[in-house]
Amino acid sequence: MSSAQAGPLPVVDHLKIPDDGDPYLEGSKCGACGAVYLGRRNVCSRCAERDQMETIRLADTGTLYTYAIVHRSFPGVETPFVSAVVDLDGGGTIKGNLMDIEPDPDHIKFGMPVKVVFRDALGRKDKDGNSYLSYFFVPRG
Amino acid sequence: MNTGDVYVIGVDMIKFGRFPHRSVPDLGAEAALMALDDAGLGMRDMQALYCGNLYQANAMVGQRILQQIGQTGIPVVNCANACATGATAFREAWMSVKAGVHDLVLAVGVEQMGKGLLGGGGGSGGIPKEGLLGGVTMPTVFAEAGMEHARNHGTTFEQFARVSVKNHHHSTLNPKAMYQIETPLHEVMNAEMISYPNTKLMCSVNVDGAAAAVLCSERRVKELGLMKRAVKVRASVLTSDPWQERDLVMPDVNSCTRLAASQAYEQAGIGPEDLDLVELHDCFATAEILHYGNLGLCPEGEAGRFIDEGHASLGGRTPVNVSGGLLSKGHPLGATGIANIYEVTTHLRGEAGKRQVAGAKIGLTHVIGLGSACGIHILERAG
Ligand SMILES: [Zn+2]
């Protein structure tokens, strides 16, 4: 367990890296009420139905719901960055860094279309030296 | 079942500050004795203790307080419920009297804070996520909630900043607040940006503090002849966050507050227009704006106008956070939910000095524990 893996590891469990094909985000959809969740789960916290969850592939496009521009964070975290909450097309809401944009409210528009991209986790490695694949948002023209 | 009302007959708080050389039980004991003195009673009169503390939730803080002020063998319940901890302890105390189990009980809220940003850490395993998957500090979470309000209602950075100007001004009239300093609008807006739109002066102050209240059944208040300064608990409500579609990435402070507010107004048989003052959970300036609408203090979407036109200021339609609020009085997490009961009670008794809301008869206290818990109490002058 002390030697690094060959390829990058997913930054969260619901980021899937298939052997053949592009990375994607995985979610669950309730067959009873239609609520969409990140990752896998068994019970719906909206309607409390059990065993109705279907595993789905979440979209890689969406729109900006809300954001903050972070200027001071925990020690060692590079700032500024844009913390963005994105509603994915077809359901599901995720939070991540909005990249390739000025960290300035004049440049960031509510509802702007964004694309989910998969890139190295800003060079961060775990204690075993593994690198990670993360997801980010970029503006979509 | 005791159908009578429950009253606050003693309440006080220590001046908030930083006391690194004192212990949590020591701070709690001081506030407890002050509240007992306010009621003119002693520890031997108390039938139970409800103690709220967050950071030492596994360390029997209530019993350690009694080890300082009187080990009478009464039941002690230690509560932790994030920033709703103090309100939860108060509500547990209220329930025990309302249920007829006790006639006289003590509620204490106490906290000792470190400095620095509050919020989730890197999580378990893997690599740190802060600044990689967005931000999880408290200023960021409440910046995102504020920007949601901006998106829906056009609220501006300047309007958020005005909340901080107001609450800092109020605190200049409160000797128990951490700070008594005016912060003009340009100073608030040009302070260090922490998470846009929250600058440093728009974030609550991490302080140590303690507050306590003595609660009493109606029958016993009359027997003791204490009705003159007593304050009636007209509503006590606690909610958790109902399901919302963005829950997994946006802790929700709105729907639990709306649910609690509607239950509290129904329990008290009043509406928001009947409130003479409100102490609400201004952990960040953005949060206060959200709660004007959530508590029904202004029509939906008009929170920006509500602050601009001075309706939330001392002398305005519904003064909000005349204590200085969490922004300037300070926010010792577990103490906050009882300190705001102290503030409202003091106004209802007409004892608030320079910051007195003239003729105050009914007031509301509100706290939010992120994750989420909402506690609301409505209090009314009895005597
Ligand atoms: Zn469902």
Side-chain angles (χ1 to χ4, degrees):
Chain A
M1 289 302 285
S2 62
S3 63
Q5 306 270 336
L9 299 170
V11 69
V12 288
D13 287 344
H14 54 274
L15 192 165
K16 298 296 170 189
I17 311 175
D19 291 337
D20 48 350
D22 297 328
Y24 65 94
L25 295 170
E26 187 180 82
S28 310
K29 186 170 187 170
C30 175
C33 77
V36 174
Y37 299 89
L38 305 181
R40 297 195 179 207
R41 61 190 294 151
N42 297 320
V43 181
C44 180
S45 59
R46 183 187 189 199
C47 72
E49 284 295 318
R50 303 184 194 186
D51 304 321
Q52 294 282 329
M53 285 294 164
E54 176 199 354
T55 300
I56 59 168
R57 183 178 174 133
L58 299 172
D60 65 357
T61 54
T63 52
L64 178 68
Y65 180 67
T66 186
Y67 68 94
I69 306 170
V70 182
H71 291 266
R72 204 214 285 181
S73 182
F74 298 134
V77 175
E78 197 177 317
T79 56
F81 64 88
V82 180
S83 175
V85 174
V86 166
D87 291 340
L88 296 173
D89 297 336
T93 298
I94 58 173
K95 179 155 152 174
N97 286 14
L98 176 60
M99 314 288 273
D100 303 350
I101 196 166
E102 283 293 309
D104 177 339
D106 290 340
H107 288 83
I108 305 170
K109 303 288 174 225
F110 297 119
M112 65 187 276
V114 301
K115 183 169 174 50
V116 182
V117 295
F118 299 91
R119 298 176 181 171
D120 177 72
L122 305 176
R124 296 183 190 184
K125 289 185 162 57
D126 64 22
K127 59 184 181 348
D128 295 326
N130 294 303
S131 56
Y132 282 76
L133 188 71
S134 189
Y135 63 84
F136 302 91
F137 310 120
V138 295
R140 177 162 53 97
Chain B
M1 181 74 190
N2 180 349
T3 51
D5 284 307
V6 180
Y7 293 78
V8 177
I9 57 167
V11 65
D12 213 334
M13 61 179 270
I14 67 168
K15 177 180 160 56
F16 288 175
R18 297 209 171 91
F19 312 108
H21 303 298
R22 296 182 62 186
S23 71
V24 167
D26 184 30
L27 297 172
E30 183 181 349
L33 291 177
M34 289 162 73
L36 288 168
D37 287 350
D38 185 49
L41 297 169
M43 195 60 228
R44 278 190 299 273
D45 299 310
M46 297 298 108
Q47 297 165 328
L49 167 63
Y50 296 85
C51 179
N53 173 268
L54 195 57
Y55 287 154
Q56 294 189 14
N58 58 355
M60 304 300 257
V61 170
Q63 284 83 345
R64 286 156 66 209
I65 288 172
L66 293 190
Q67 284 162 15
Q68 297 202 16
I69 63 172
Q71 291 173 256
T72 55
I74 57 172
V76 175
V77 178
N78 293 289
C79 308
N81 213 3
C83 302
T85 291
T88 302
F90 182 91
R91 178 175 154 79
E92 292 295 310
W94 170 82
M95 276 201 286
S96 77
V97 178
K98 190 74 183 164
V101 175
H102 302 301
D103 284 309
L104 266 172
V105 297
L106 181 62
V108 179
V110 58
E111 205 74 60
Q112 213 165 19
M113 308 280 294
K115 281 190 171 187
L117 294 170
L118 302 183
S124 56
I127 52 175
K129 312 296 193 298
E130 169 71 11
L132 178 64
L133 300 180
V136 297
T137 65
M138 287 299 118
T140 299
V141 166
F142 281 92
E144 289 167 355
M147 290 306 279
E148 180 183 39
H149 198 274
R151 173 198 178 105
N152 294 338
H153 305 297
T155 323
T156 64
F157 174 39
E158 184 173 321
Q159 288 171 326
F160 290 126
R162 279 186 199 285
V163 169
S164 204
V165 176
K166 170 183 70 74
N167 291 356
H168 280 95
H169 169 67
H170 286 161
S171 73
T172 63
L173 307 171
N174 181 3
K176 291 196 174 189
M178 171 75 183
Y179 294 122
Q180 288 86 18
I181 304 166
E182 297 281 0
T183 57
L185 184 61
H186 65 90
E187 211 171 286
V188 172
M189 293 178 76
N190 291 312
E192 181 192 351
M193 184 58 73
I194 305 295
S195 269
Y196 180 87
N198 283 321
T199 69
K200 189 170 185 186
L201 287 174
M202 296 160 72
C203 301
S204 54
V205 197
N206 292 344
V207 299
D208 307 333
V214 177
L215 291 87
C216 188
S217 65
E218 183 159 1
R219 180 176 62 82
R220 199 86 176 88
V221 180
K222 287 176 178 162
E223 285 171 9
L224 290 165
L226 292 175
M227 199 54 89
K228 195 166 181 301
R229 283 177 77 245
V231 161
K232 187 194 285 187
V233 182
R234 288 278 301 262
S236 175
V237 171
L238 184 68
T239 59
S240 59
D241 47 327
W243 187 90
Q244 295 290 319
E245 61 178 322
R246 298 182 184 86
D247 275 349
L248 295 177
V249 294
M250 286 187 74
D252 175 29
V253 300
N254 297 310
S255 49
C256 56
T257 296
R258 285 170 182 258
L259 184 61
S262 67
Q263 290 177 10
Y265 292 136
E266 190 184 334
Q267 208 178 101
I270 65 158
E273 66 281 358
D274 299 312
L275 299 172
D276 297 305
L277 77 157
V278 169
E279 288 283 305
L280 62 74
H281 204 74
D282 60 327
C283 50
F284 295 89
T286 49
E288 179 163 321
I289 290 278
L290 307 181
H291 297 314
Y292 293 160
N294 290 338
L295 295 173
L297 306 185
C298 68
E300 196 63 54
E302 291 189 16
R305 255 181 69 189
F306 194 72
I307 184 75
D308 282 346
E309 295 177 356
H311 299 307
S313 301
L314 186 57
R317 192 200 305 161
T318 312
V320 173
N321 290 328
V322 276
S323 66
L326 283 46
L327 290 172
S328 190
K329 178 177 68 177
H331 184 21
L333 311 186
T336 289
I338 297 181
N340 62 17
I341 285 168
Y342 162 78
E343 181 68 18
V344 168
T345 300
T346 302
H347 286 270
L348 300 181
R349 288 167 161 180
E351 298 173 359
K354 280 190 253 177
R355 67 185 189 286
Q356 176 68 44
V357 173
K361 286 195 184 69
I362 298 184
L364 178 148
T365 66
H366 160 263
V367 290
I368 284 283
L370 204 69
S372 295
C374 177
I376 289 184
H377 288 94
I378 294 177
L379 305 170
E380 181 185 24
R381 187 168 74 198

